[in-house]
């Protein structure tokens, strides 16, 4: 491994690290990728089959919920007869007794459902950019350029892992992030369970007043400055930050109306409903919606998730096939002159095409098999219709072929025998001379005049020719 300094400057500088990899090491690495490719290939089958079962199960859970849901008698009081039932409610939510959330360190308080103290610190950040350069005998040279710049970050960046020294970050935040949540969030007389509270996440910027005098710690109070309209800055100058400066901003979740389909528990606590097949059912949406709209949205989400996972399964299968084929591309790279071109063509064109041609029918076949297990009726109907369509086209093709063969046979049949007319010589007719062919000399014959004799029965005419 080689290192080469390229530039140093006020912002932190850059340098390049160079590593070399032989053709043999690349072949070894590509064969290691074959194992990963096989895992991806066979794992994609499991994902596709599981996804179809998940989709059918979710569909059954939603259908059971549609048949079982009932509107709560009242959101302002609890009907004990509905305990354990799947109920639908829509109303405003608020914290119990309208208690305010208070930041114990900075003294910020607000009558909200949730509050976030978002903290960022100015720190060094390492960026890297790599490129691979082909060398002789199928090897590669990898050049990685590292650069350093300062930026605001919400998590600690460990400068001990940097490739070069001279860029040191603080080991801890001056002020830690903080998350506050109301103990009880109520929808009328009903209490929201943890699963529902986790979905309350429409955070907005805190618009209340922030007073530096409310900060309890005197050392922090002396470093604090107002930052924007909803934050504090701890450092020398917000316009010229240095490493270690911190800024704090607040975001909150305000009360709002929600629509819920959930299980009514003891004492009116709303939680996840468990269906007869063991599936979970909990529908939640901000705003006022009917139960039909909630279930329709859940069904649409189920279809979208199903197609996303089908595509993911297809790409996993393609990726696995490409990793299995990778040793071929690495092997041909050692060929002089054309190895680099062949490797690039295989990796960028040939392998993706082969993997797609293989993965697409396999994915469709796997989904079809899963449908036979999870959707036998639908699969049977589709297979029946498909069989009829195939039979129709096969019959149509055979009929066309038979018609063409019959027409061809008719063309080769023997013509009927010709009937030849037999000419009978007329004894009273003087035959005319045959037609003369062109380009042949004419022959003249002198025929003497013979007076006609009276007709005698049974006497044949005599014609004398004298040349």
């Amino acid at each position: 491994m080689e290192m080469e300094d390229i530039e140093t400057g006020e912002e932190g500088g850059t340098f390049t690290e160079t590593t070399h990899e032989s053709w043999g090491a690349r072949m070894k690495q590509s064969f290691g990728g074959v194992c990963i490719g096989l895992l991806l290939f066979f794992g994609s089958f499991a994902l596709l089959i599981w996804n179809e079962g998940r989709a059918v199960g979710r569909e059954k859970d939603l259908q059971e919920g549609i048949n079982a849901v009932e509107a709560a008698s009242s959101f302002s009081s609890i009907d004990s007869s509905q305990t354990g039932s799947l109920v639908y409610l829509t109303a405003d939510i608020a914290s119990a007794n309208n208690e305010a959330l208070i930041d114990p360190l900075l003294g910020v308080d607000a009558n909200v459902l949730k509050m976030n103290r978002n903290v960022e610190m100015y720190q060094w950040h390492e960026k890297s950019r790599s490129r691979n350069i082909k060398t002789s005998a199928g090897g590669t040279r990898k050049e990685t350029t590292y650069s350093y710049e300062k930026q605001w970050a919400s998590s600690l960046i460990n400068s001990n892992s940097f490739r070069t020294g001279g860029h040191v970050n603080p080991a801890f935040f001056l002020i830690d992030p903080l998350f506050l949540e109301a103990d009880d969030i109520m929808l009328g007389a009903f209490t929201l369970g943890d699963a529902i509270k986790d979905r309350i996440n429409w955070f907005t910027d805190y618009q209340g007043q922030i007073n530096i005098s409310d900060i309890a710690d005197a050392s922090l109070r002396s470093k604090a400055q107002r930052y924007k309209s909803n934050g504090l800055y701890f450092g020398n100058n917000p316009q010229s930050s240095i490493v270690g400066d911190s800024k704090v901003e607040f975001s909150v979740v305000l009360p709002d109306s929600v629509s819920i389909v959930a299980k009514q528990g003891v004492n009116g606590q709303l939680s996840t409903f468990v269906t007869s097949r063991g599936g979970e059912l909990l529908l939640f949406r901000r705003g006022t919606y009917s139960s039909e709209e909630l279930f329709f949205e859940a069904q649409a989400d189920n279809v979208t998730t199903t197609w996303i996972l089908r595509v993911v399964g297809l790409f996993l299968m393609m990726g696995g096939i490409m990793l299995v084929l990778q040793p071929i591309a690495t092997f041909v790279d050692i060929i002089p002159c054309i190895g680099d071109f062949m490797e690039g063509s295989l990796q960028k064109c040939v392998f993706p095409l082969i993997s797609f041609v293989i993965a697409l029918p396999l994915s469709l076949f796997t989904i079809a098999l899963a449908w036979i297990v999870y959707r036998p009726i639908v699969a049977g109907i589709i297979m029946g219709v498909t069989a009829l369509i195939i039979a129709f086209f096969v019959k149509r093709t055979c009929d066309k072929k038979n018609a063409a063969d019959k027409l061809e046979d008719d063309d080769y049949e023997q013509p009927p025998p010709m009937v030849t007319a037999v000419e009978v010589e007329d004894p009273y007719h003087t035959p005319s001379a045959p037609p003369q062919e062109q380009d042949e000399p004419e022959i003249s014959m002198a025929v003497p005049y013979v007076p006609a004799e009276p007709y005698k029965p049974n006497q044949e005419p005599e014609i004398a020719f004298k040349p």
Side-chain angles (χ1 to χ4, degrees):
M1 181 173 64
E2 302 174 359
M3 291 188 182
E4 177 186 355
D5 286 329
I6 296 178
E7 178 186 358
T8 58
E10 181 180 356
E11 188 59 25
T14 60
F15 80 96
T16 298
E17 178 183 86
T18 304
T19 58
H20 297 273
E21 189 175 26
S22 66
W23 179 79
R26 292 180 60 210
M27 284 296 298
K28 183 178 179 180
Q29 184 179 8
S30 64
F31 278 113
V34 171
C35 299
I36 300 176
L38 292 175
L39 290 176
L40 292 177
F41 181 75
F42 291 107
S44 64
F45 288 96
L47 174 62
L48 291 172
I49 294 174
W50 170 84
N51 178 46
E52 297 305 316
R54 179 210 60 80
V56 173
R58 182 60 175 170
E59 184 179 333
K60 291 180 179 179
D61 292 339
L62 293 174
Q63 189 59 48
E64 181 178 339
I66 292 174
N67 297 330
V69 67
E70 54 187 63
S73 301
S74 173
F75 68 88
S76 58
S77 61
I78 299 173
D79 185 357
S80 59
S81 64
Q82 292 182 313
T83 300
S85 301
L86 184 67
V87 296
Y88 158 75
L89 304 97
T90 180
D92 293 338
I93 56 175
S95 58
N97 302 321
N98 291 323
E99 294 181 359
L101 299 179
I102 303 175
D103 186 325
L105 181 62
L106 303 180
V108 176
D109 63 332
N111 186 7
V112 294
L113 305 178
K114 296 181 179 181
M115 176 187 290
N116 266 335
R117 180 207 292 165
N118 305 308
V119 182
E120 291 184 338
M121 184 166 62
Y122 204 53
Q123 305 174 73
W124 284 108
H125 175 67
E126 181 183 69
K127 299 174 63 177
S128 63
R129 184 180 67 256
S130 301
R131 64 170 183 165
N132 291 320
I133 302 174
K134 295 296 179 64
T135 60
S136 59
T140 59
R141 183 177 75 252
K142 183 178 181 181
E143 294 182 354
T144 305
T145 302
Y146 296 91
S147 59
Y148 298 88
E149 60 183 24
K150 302 169 187 176
Q151 66 178 26
W152 291 100
S154 58
S155 59
L156 282 175
I157 300 176
N158 184 10
S159 56
N160 294 329
S161 63
F162 290 171
R163 291 290 183 172
T164 184
H167 310 92
V168 182
N169 288 327
F172 54 87
F173 275 98
L174 178 65
I175 299 175
D176 292 325
L178 178 68
F179 172 73
L180 299 173
E181 182 181 72
D183 293 333
D184 293 319
I185 299 179
M186 310 295 294
L187 190 155
F190 295 86
T191 304
L192 303 187
D194 293 338
I196 300 177
K197 291 165 68 173
D198 291 341
R199 302 191 185 188
I200 302 175
N201 54 11
W202 49 85
F203 284 91
T204 60
D205 293 337
Y206 174 65
Q207 302 296 330
Q209 184 69 26
I210 297 179
N211 299 317
I212 298 177
S213 58
D214 294 334
I215 300 177
D217 191 305
S219 61
L220 287 177
R221 188 167 58 248
S222 63
K223 299 177 182 179
Q225 303 177 50
R226 292 294 299 272
Y227 179 74
K228 296 183 178 179
S229 61
N230 65 330
L232 296 170
Y233 188 91
F234 295 88
N236 294 325
N237 185 358
Q239 305 301 324
S240 180
S241 302
I242 61 174
V243 172
D245 287 0
S246 299
K247 61 182 181 180
V248 179
E249 295 179 273
F250 292 90
S251 58
V252 296
V253 175
L254 299 173
D256 203 349
S257 60
V258 298
S259 301
I260 300 174
V261 172
K263 173 187 174 181
Q264 177 181 318
V266 180
N267 299 324
Q269 187 178 52
L270 300 177
S271 59
T272 303
F273 180 82
V274 180
T275 63
S276 58
R277 56 173 295 275
E280 296 183 347
L281 192 59
L282 176 62
L283 307 183
F284 175 88
R285 189 174 180 183
R286 183 185 181 188
T288 303
Y289 297 92
S290 64
S291 61
E292 290 80 6
E293 290 174 315
L294 293 178
F295 278 103
F296 179 80
E297 182 184 30
Q299 290 172 330
D301 291 341
N302 183 40
V303 173
T304 302
T305 303
T306 301
W307 277 103
I308 290 175
L309 292 177
R310 285 171 179 169
V311 174
V312 170
L314 172 64
F315 278 99
L316 283 178
M317 191 177 297
M318 290 179 59
I321 296 172
M322 292 180 65
L323 286 175
V324 171
L325 297 175
Q326 179 59 35
I328 301 175
T330 306
F331 178 79
V332 301
D333 187 38
I334 200 173
I335 301 175
C337 300
I338 62 172
D340 190 14
F341 170 77
M342 291 181 64
E343 183 186 22
S345 300
L346 290 174
Q347 290 178 334
K348 297 178 181 179
C349 182
V350 178
F351 287 173
L353 180 61
I354 292 176
S355 63
F356 178 77
V357 170
I358 296 175
L360 181 61
L362 284 180
S363 298
L364 295 176
F365 180 73
T366 304
I367 293 173
L369 288 180
W371 274 44
I372 295 176
V373 177
Y374 296 111
R375 306 173 188 258
I377 298 177
V378 178
I381 295 174
I382 294 176
M383 292 175 63
V385 173
T386 304
L388 289 176
I389 294 175
I390 294 175
F392 170 76
F393 282 104
V394 170
K395 184 178 182 302
R396 185 175 179 183
T397 303
C398 292
D399 292 343
K400 287 184 177 180
K401 185 176 183 304
N402 293 335
D405 293 343
K406 184 178 180 181
L407 181 61
E408 184 178 356
D409 293 340
D410 291 343
D411 292 340
Y412 283 97
E413 288 182 357
Q414 294 294 332
M418 299 295 294
V419 179
T420 304
V422 179
E423 296 183 359
V424 180
E425 185 178 357
D426 186 358
Y428 307 105
H429 176 70
T430 302
S432 60
Q436 297 180 352
E437 296 182 358
Q438 296 181 357
D439 300 332
E440 291 185 359
E442 296 181 358
I443 300 176
S444 300
M445 293 184 299
V447 180
Y449 172 76
V450 179
E453 295 180 359
Y455 174 74
K456 297 179 179 180
N458 301 324
Q459 183 180 354
E460 297 181 358
E462 295 182 0
I463 300 175
F465 293 93
K466 184 177 181 181

